[in-house]
């Protein structure tokens, strides 16, 4: 892809002596939503952490908007315009919804101000005074998305947003991600629920044991459930569950 906004090449990441990512590579275009699929332990979260500098890769190249970012500190990568919605949400439970957003905004000025985020995510406005630790899982996921947005990212890395949520809440979360894509935010969506992610993705990559084993158009892969199940080492019933 000649206009790659994020380009990851030959990424190798270790935890101690354990080699987790093996020459992982993928690309994301401006305003594109790319799904990163695979089972638990495949290396999806490690890939996001490597991009963000939270776990530094041993080798490989990462460029974002034409700038090399591999090995940079996480705060520098964030300030360049990379937002993160982590698995498990990870907010400050004793602070209110609004205070969590204010900490994330940290004086940044841009299109996604706190009032704009609260307008876009009206449920958060209703909950602005409630402590984050008292929010439901779905409400915390929306807060995690809002927290990433107030940093005014050009690219958002979203890790397992459907995990542990009721189906109706998952629909809301995925509606928000679709709207962000329509507004020009590029997204990398890590998701175990392949069928769900493929519905809104432009392209998909499948990771298995730290290696990319498939890349292609999301619509093409979505139409071949047997291929998805084979790639992810699942039975047809496990894939549908």
């Amino acid at each position: 892809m000649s206009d790659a906004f994020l380009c990851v090449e030959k990424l190798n990441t270790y935890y101690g002596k354990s080699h987790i990512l093996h020459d992982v590579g993928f690309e994301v275009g401006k305003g594109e939503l790319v799904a990163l699929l695979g089972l638990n332990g495949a290396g999806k979260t490690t890939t996001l952490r490597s991009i963000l500098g939270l776990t530094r890769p041993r080798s490989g190249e990462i460029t974002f908007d034409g700038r090399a970012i591999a090995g940079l500190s996480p705060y520098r990568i964030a300030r360049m315009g990379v937002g993160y919605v982590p698995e498990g949400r990870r907010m400050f439970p004793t602070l209110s919804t609004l205070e969590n957003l204010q900490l994330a905004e940290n004086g940044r000025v841009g299109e996604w101000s706190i009032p704009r985020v609260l307008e876009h995510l009206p449920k958060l406005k209703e909950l602005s005074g409630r402590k984050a630790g008292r929010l439901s899982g779905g409400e915390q996921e929306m807060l995690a998305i809002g927290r990433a947005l107030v940093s005014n990212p050009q690219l958002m890395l979203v890790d397992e947003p459907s995990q542990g949520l009721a189906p109706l809440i998952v629909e809301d979360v995925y509606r928000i991600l679709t709207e962000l894509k329509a507004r020009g935010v590029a997204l990398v969506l890590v998701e175990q629920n392949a069928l769900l992610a493929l519905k809104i993705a432009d392209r998909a990559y499948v990771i298995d044991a730290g290696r990319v084993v498939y890349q292609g158009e999301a619509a093409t892969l979505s139409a071949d459930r047997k291929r998805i199940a084979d790639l992810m080492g699942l039975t047809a019933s496990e894939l549908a569950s």
Side-chain angles (χ1 to χ4, degrees), residues 156-174:
M156 280 180 59
L157 310 180
V158 184
D159 197 357
E160 300 286 3
S162 71
Q163 190 174 70
L165 301 185
L168 285 176
I169 303 300
V170 171
E171 285 183 18
D172 281 343
V173 170
Y174 266 66

Side-chain angles (χ1 to χ4, degrees), residues 8 21 24-28 33-39 42-48 51 157-160 187-194 197-198 201 203-207 211-212 214 232:
V8 177
L21 300 184
V24 166
F26 67 97
E27 297 181 340
V28 183
L33 196 159
V34 168
L36 200 58
L37 309 175
L39 297 178
K44 307 184 305 297
T45 294
T46 301
T47 300
L48 297 191
I51 294 168
L157 310 180
V158 184
D159 197 357
E160 300 286 3
L187 295 108
V188 178
L189 173 61
V190 160
E191 183 63 84
Q192 279 194 74
N193 189 329
L198 289 170
R203 292 184 304 109
Y205 294 80
V206 179
I207 292 183
R211 292 178 169 84
V212 174
Y214 173 88
M232 297 184 66

Side-chain angles (χ1 to χ4, degrees), residues 10 20 96 135-136 142 203:
K10 295 186 178 300
I20 306 301
S96 70
L135 301 179
S136 69
M142 290 184 187
R203 292 184 304 109

Side-chain angles (χ1 to χ4, degrees), residues 26-230:
F26 67 97
E27 297 181 340
V28 183
K30 283 190 176 183
E32 185 180 36
L33 196 159
V34 168
L36 200 58
L37 309 175
L39 297 178
N40 261 341
K44 307 184 305 297
T45 294
T46 301
T47 300
L48 297 191
R49 290 180 59 87
S50 298
I51 294 168
L52 289 158
L54 295 168
T55 302
R56 294 196 175 191
R58 187 80 57 87
S59 64
E61 296 183 3
I62 308 170
T63 57
F64 168 62
D65 199 16
R67 295 167 290 182
I69 64 171
L72 295 183
S73 299
Y75 82 90
R76 291 184 63 189
I77 295 171
R79 287 182 177 177
M80 287 178 175
V82 181
Y84 183 37
V85 181
E87 182 181 12
R89 293 107 200 186
R90 297 182 188 176
M91 47 212 55
F92 296 98
T94 61
L95 298 183
S96 70
T97 294
L98 180 59
E99 288 168 337
N100 270 271
L101 292 174
Q102 289 169 335
L103 276 177
E105 186 181 46
N106 194 26
R108 293 184 179 92
V109 177
E111 178 185 3
W112 291 102
S113 63
I114 289 178
R116 172 80 186 281
V117 168
L118 294 179
E119 178 184 348
H120 196 65
L121 304 175
K123 186 66 174 178
L124 291 185
K125 189 172 185 178
E126 297 173 20
L127 300 166
S128 59
R130 184 174 298 180
K131 291 187 185 299
R134 296 183 59 196
L135 301 179
S136 69
E139 291 163 351
Q140 287 188 353
E141 188 65 38
M142 290 184 187
L143 176 53
I145 292 170
R147 186 180 55 185
L149 280 176
V150 296
S151 68
N152 281 278
Q154 301 171 65
L155 168 71
M156 280 180 59
L157 310 180
V158 184
D159 197 357
E160 300 286 3
S162 71
Q163 190 174 70
L165 301 185
L168 285 176
I169 303 300
V170 171
E171 285 183 18
D172 281 343
V173 170
Y174 266 66
R175 173 185 55 79
I176 292 165
L177 297 179
T178 303
E179 289 177 4
L180 294 177
K181 174 180 175 291
R183 291 172 180 267
V185 178
L187 295 108
V188 178
L189 173 61
V190 160
E191 183 63 84
Q192 279 194 74
N193 189 329
L195 298 179
L196 183 62
L198 289 170
K199 287 180 181 179
I200 67 169
D202 297 300
R203 292 184 304 109
Y205 294 80
V206 179
I207 292 183
D208 182 44
R211 292 178 169 84
V212 174
V213 296
Y214 173 88
Q215 58 178 300
E217 298 296 319
T220 302
L221 184 57
S222 182
D224 191 346
R225 292 197 174 195
K226 184 178 184 306
R227 181 81 185 278
I228 301 170
D230 289 345

